[in-house]
């Protein structure tokens, strides 16, 4: 087996990778054309490279560690050239209850930080924060309404 393929195996074994990352690494190692395609096919066969597994791990990590919403995760996966099917699977792997609880926690923290603001401005800024994090507008509004009702 070529040393380049062995290096790619180690590269994939270290952490989950998407096809685009592996292609880039293979080019850096000097693989071109059929050599590159054969190396990627070999990695897929040997289960070192699995786009669905990558998408699920990536989405889960971004949600848990950086508290990103589904929209932001979707955009990041699209940038990595992940298929729509794998993106859908990855988003489905995020537990709805955890998603809602994270959204509510983030909204509450931001809303509390903006105590000195007027009521509407406070809601607007909280909504913008949640949208920037990649949460869906309807869910974000629902969370803000729930928090505002508690304060009354």
């Amino acid at each position: 087996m070529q040393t380049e393929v062995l290096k790619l195996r180690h590269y994939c074994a270290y952490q989950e990778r998407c096809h685009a990352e592996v292609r880039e690494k293979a080019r850096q190692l000097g693989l071109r054309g059929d050599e590159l395609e054969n190396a990627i096919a070999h990695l897929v066969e040997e289960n070192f490279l699995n786009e669905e597994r990558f998408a699920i791990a990536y989405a889960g990590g971004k949600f848990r560690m950086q508290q990103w919403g589904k929209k932001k995760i979707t955009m990041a996966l699209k940038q990595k050239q992940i298929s729509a099917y794998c993106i859908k699977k990855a988003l489905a792997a995020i537990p709805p209850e955890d998603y809602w609880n994270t959204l509510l926690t983030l909204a509450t923290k931001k809303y509390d930080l903006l105590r000195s603001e007027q009521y509407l401005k406070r809601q607007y800024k909280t909504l913008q924060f949640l949208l920037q994090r990649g949460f869906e507008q309807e869910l974000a509004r629902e969370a803000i309404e729930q928090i505002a009702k508690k304060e009354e």
Side-chain angles (χ1 to χ4, degrees), residues 28-66:
Q28 288 173 7
L29 294 172
L31 293 177
R32 300 280 183 271
D34 286 345
E35 271 187 323
L36 187 141
E37 295 307 319
N38 290 339
I40 287 182
H42 173 75
L43 292 170
V44 170
E45 271 175 36
E46 299 282 314
N47 209 18
F48 280 98
L49 191 57
N50 183 325
E51 196 174 72
E52 188 177 322
R53 194 174 61 208
F54 166 80
I56 291 170
Y58 185 88
K62 292 296 180 189
F63 171 67
R64 280 189 313 279
M65 304 306 284
Q66 295 178 330

Side-chain angles (χ1 to χ4, degrees), residues 27-105:
R27 285 191 193 100
Q28 288 173 7
L29 294 172
L31 293 177
R32 300 280 183 271
D34 286 345
E35 271 187 323
L36 187 141
E37 295 307 319
N38 290 339
I40 287 182
H42 173 75
L43 292 170
V44 170
E45 271 175 36
E46 299 282 314
N47 209 18
F48 280 98
L49 191 57
N50 183 325
E51 196 174 72
E52 188 177 322
R53 194 174 61 208
F54 166 80
I56 291 170
Y58 185 88
K62 292 296 180 189
F63 171 67
R64 280 189 313 279
M65 304 306 284
Q66 295 178 330
Q67 297 174 323
W68 282 9
K70 289 182 179 179
K71 283 184 155 189
K72 193 167 184 175
I73 292 169
T74 300
M75 293 309 297
L77 288 171
K78 281 182 181 177
Q79 281 184 325
K80 293 188 174 286
Q81 300 163 1
I82 303 299
S83 70
Y85 170 80
C86 291
I87 292 173
K88 192 175 177 184
K89 285 283 238 188
L91 296 179
I94 297 172
E97 193 176 302
D98 291 353
Y99 191 73
W100 175 252
N101 289 338
T102 299
L103 170 61
L104 211 53
T105 303

Side-chain angles (χ1 to χ4, degrees), residues 122-138:
R122 193 175 178 191
Q123 284 193 335
Y124 174 77
K125 284 185 174 183
T126 305
L127 178 65
Q128 291 306 308
F129 169 75
L130 295 172
L131 294 178
Q132 190 177 359
R133 276 294 179 91
F135 288 95
E136 298 84 342
Q137 189 164 358
E138 307 78 47

